[in-house]
Amino acid sequence: MKVIISVSNKSGIVEFAKELQEIGWQIYATGGTMAMLAAADITVHSVSDLTGFPEILDGRVKTLHPAIHGGILAERGSARHMAQLVEHGFAAIDMIVVNLYPFAETVERPGVSLAEALENIDIGGPTLIRAAAKNFKDVVVLVDSADYTLVLKELKEGGNVGEQTRLSLAAKAFQYTAAYDAHIADYLRPADPLFHPTLTIALEKIQDLRYGENPHQQAALYADSPRYHHLASVAGLSQLHGKAMSFCNLLDVDAALNCVREYSTTAVAIIKHGNPCGLACGQELLDTYQRAHAGDPISAFGGAIGANRVVDVATAREIQQTFYEDIIAPGYDEEALTVLKQKKDLRITQADFAALEIRERRPCSWTQFDFKRVSGGFLVQTRDEVREDDITLDVVSEREPSLAELMDLLFAWRAVKHVQSNAIVLAKRLALVGVGAGQMSRVDSVEIAVRKAGSRSVGSVLASDAFFPKPDGVEIAAAAGVTAIIQPGGSIRDDDIVRVVNRQHMAMVFTGRRHFKH
């Protein structure tokens, strides 16, 4: 039995080859793989011994030869195929162990040249993999070191690898080369048009989840590959404590992470069912958390917390007073972690906030997109990411907002982006005091936000994710004591709305941008 080994990622390959040799397999390898196996005292032959032809073009051509691919593609049950192998002096190849040049990792490095990227496009490797996967009934194909143990077990127990395992390995092999090609295509395609006629996405499963949105649904977490795009994301978080994550846990943790990432100052968000029920900015983490929790302490129960600073013990003790499902932060003091771990049901997670800009180096095109499943396909859009210098604040009221109001307005405008449409938030002293989310009419969202805020609405500011179609929402806000409003503008009744604002001596700012979130 003959195996060809040619691996870029050499993890576990020496141990695997030794086991194959012990059960009588003849091992052939290329370049660096051959040198590594020989250094480990494994009897290994060059693929040139199969082809009778040396590696050429600086190793670009070494396995692209009929002796190799004839030996892989020949159907063992075909007398004609086997006779042709004999006629040409070719040997049957029974296993291919191949993984590919690290193209995706290479192009992620800052300053990588096109020439270097092209040199890391593997040609012979994918050809070997695809050939073996096509003829999986006769040839075992391995692209993942995690499968070495299973293959060895079956070889030792039955003398061969079962057909179901071969089929599974072949499917994995085709998926592997498809993902590899997706990264290459993404790197080489021009920036324009943004939406190309076809789009292939390479995803890597990170973990199976306890269940989906409901217990009868199955779920898993996949990451855009390569995984280091996600050092500062839910796909790259570390779980330090608590039960396994479910679909909804990850959705809320992601929402918390995205909320606090909006702010450079200390920020704490409390998320419930995907919406911030509490959000505050400040100087000290403890005070910031307390003001975020005060935004809606009833809804906070069972929610998820996000913080953009390392959690200290004082804040941990305060957090411990409320039941939460999840928390995400860039880190935890040792004593704070001890305190939080006393809550057995609290999932404690950590993300590397220092790595936030990694994905800005050269993001894959699909990492720039949001996807929404619809029947028969996907809706694809760019992310709702607007830089501050892309927004022009247009004061349309007679009264200019005060400095304090302006700070609250900008805080609220960032917050409303993370609330389900129709979205209204009330804020005071850099903290949410009322939220109206996901209503079919904007005036209903205003009423809910005002009711949530209660007496705290007096002296607060309001942010709306889209324009007011009628003055009624503004009138309700004014009656509740709201002093300033920030909204996109653009309604055919803007003049009517501004007249109400001026009559109530309020301030209003148009942004010219909308933040729908469906």
Side-chain angles (χ1 to χ4, degrees):
M1 305 292 279
K2 293 179 173 58
V3 56
I4 292 178
I5 303 177
S6 180
V7 291
S8 176
N9 180 351
K10 296 177 173 57
S11 173
I13 196 61
V14 168
E15 296 78 8
F16 181 64
K18 282 183 176 179
E19 295 268 14
L20 286 179
Q21 181 174 263
E22 288 178 5
I23 58 178
W25 282 67
Q26 294 180 35
I27 299 171
Y28 295 82
T30 60
T33 304
M34 180 179 174
M36 184 178 188
L37 297 180
D41 294 326
I42 295 170
T43 301
V44 58
H45 309 278
S46 170
V47 292
S48 296
D49 294 344
L50 292 171
T51 63
F53 201 89
E55 295 185 10
I56 62 172
L57 305 181
D58 298 320
R60 283 191 168 197
V61 177
K62 43 185 176 278
T63 60
L64 299 171
H65 192 281
I68 300 291
H69 291 282
I72 295 171
L73 287 165
E75 294 181 348
R76 306 310 191 256
S78 169
R80 187 161 58 91
H81 283 196
M82 300 311 291
Q84 287 180 4
L85 289 187
V86 173
E87 177 186 351
H88 294 287
F90 297 161
I93 308 300
D94 305 290
M95 183 186 296
I96 298 296
V97 185
V98 176
N99 56 59
L100 306 176
Y101 298 160
F103 177 84
E105 291 81 358
T106 298
V107 298
E108 281 297 319
R109 295 204 304 264
V112 66
S113 67
L114 176 61
E116 188 178 359
L118 294 177
E119 201 58 36
N120 275 275
I121 296 177
D122 205 320
I123 301 299
T127 308
L128 287 172
I129 291 168
R130 288 173 58 82
K134 175 177 180 175
N135 199 25
F136 71 88
K137 289 185 177 181
D138 296 317
V139 183
V140 177
V141 56
L142 281 166
V143 296
D144 185 353
S145 60
D147 296 317
Y148 293 169
T149 300
L150 172 62
V151 168
L152 284 172
K153 180 176 182 290
E154 293 194 14
L155 285 173
K156 290 178 179 179
E157 290 180 353
N160 207 342
V161 178
E163 185 168 331
Q164 192 57 45
T165 299
R166 290 168 179 263
L167 178 63
S168 176
L169 293 173
K172 177 182 280 192
F174 279 118
Q175 186 65 68
Y176 178 66
T177 57
Y180 191 79
D181 286 342
H183 282 291
I184 295 170
D186 182 72
Y187 177 79
L188 294 177
R189 71 164 55 103
D192 294 321
L194 181 62
F195 300 104
H196 289 261
T198 61
L199 176 63
T200 305
I201 304 172
L203 300 178
E204 175 186 355
K205 190 171 85 168
I206 303 301
Q207 66 183 102
D208 290 310
L209 302 177
R210 293 171 61 216
Y211 49 80
E213 283 187 285
N214 300 290
H216 64 274
Q217 294 173 268
Q218 298 179 48
L221 171 65
Y222 284 80
D224 303 326
S225 56
R227 285 176 62 178
Y228 51 75
H229 280 309
H230 293 278
L231 292 174
S233 72
V234 165
L237 61 75
S238 300
Q239 185 170 350
L240 309 180
H241 176 73
K243 296 185 294 187
M245 305 288 279
S246 73
F247 190 94
C248 293
N249 294 133
L250 284 171
L251 284 177
D252 281 352
V253 166
D254 187 51
L257 176 63
N258 289 331
C259 269
V260 297
R261 281 175 55 177
E262 287 283 351
Y263 304 95
S264 57
T265 189
T266 301
V268 174
I270 302 173
I271 304 296
K272 193 69 174 289
H273 291 284
N275 286 299
C277 61
L279 178 63
C281 286
Q283 297 298 318
E284 301 297 327
L285 187 63
L286 175 58
D287 173 69
T288 303
Y289 165 73
Q290 289 171 331
R291 291 187 298 114
H293 179 263
D296 189 347
I298 295 175
S299 296
F301 183 86
I305 304 175
N308 64 358
R309 295 291 189 271
V310 173
V311 176
D312 54 56
V313 65
T315 307
R317 287 181 179 135
E318 191 72 13
I319 289 171
Q320 194 189 34
Q321 304 306 308
T322 301
F323 170 70
Y324 291 107
E325 292 268 6
D326 313 280
I327 182 170
I328 187 166
Y332 304 85
D333 290 348
E334 185 175 345
E335 193 174 352
L337 198 56
T338 300
V339 169
L340 292 174
K341 283 184 176 180
Q342 293 174 15
K343 292 281 192 178
K344 292 182 179 181
D345 292 330
L346 177 64
R347 298 167 185 84
I348 304 172
T349 62
Q350 181 173 325
D352 184 2
F353 279 57
L356 279 173
E357 300 307 315
I358 282 185
R359 69 185 183 91
E360 302 301 330
R361 291 178 181 171
R362 192 199 171 276
C364 294
S365 62
W366 61 79
T367 66
Q368 302 176 67
F369 295 147
D370 277 332
F371 297 85
K372 293 187 185 297
R373 191 74 166 97
V374 294
S375 56
F378 290 86
L379 294 172
V380 183
Q381 64 177 351
T382 56
R383 296 181 183 277
D384 182 10
E385 294 178 348
V386 181
R387 296 178 302 179
E388 283 191 17
D389 54 8
D390 289 336
I391 298 175
T392 300
L393 299 179
D394 183 15
V395 179
V396 295
S397 56
E398 293 174 353
R399 180 173 76 79
E400 295 265 348
S402 67
L403 179 59
E405 286 174 329
L406 183 60
M407 291 179 64
D408 278 341
L409 287 170
L410 292 174
F411 165 83
W413 182 244
R414 289 185 175 185
V416 78
K417 166 184 170 182
H418 298 278
V419 178
Q420 203 81 13
S421 298
N422 285 311
I424 296 291
V425 302
L426 302 185
K428 185 191 294 187
R429 291 191 287 275
L430 303 182
L432 294 186
V433 295
V435 177
Q439 299 305 302
M440 286 67 77
S441 74
R442 191 156 300 279
V443 69
D444 286 345
S445 289
V446 175
E447 289 177 341
I448 292 171
V450 166
R451 177 169 57 81
K452 286 281 188 180
S455 62
R456 297 174 300 172
S457 63
V458 177
S460 69
V461 306
L462 179 151
S464 174
D465 65 339
F467 64 65
F468 285 94
K470 298 178 181 179
D472 49 3
V474 175
E475 290 168 345
I476 292 170
V482 172
T483 64
I485 295 174
I486 187 168
Q487 57 134 322
S491 168
I492 60 173
R493 297 190 177 183
D494 276 349
D495 290 344
D496 295 338
I497 291 166
V498 171
R499 277 194 287 272
V500 171
V501 167
N502 289 333
R503 190 165 61 246
Q504 298 293 334
H505 306 292
M506 301 166 74
M508 179 175 279
V509 177
F510 284 177
T511 64
R513 297 279 184 169
R514 191 178 74 185
H515 277 315
F516 270 169
K517 181 185 178 187
H518 288 88

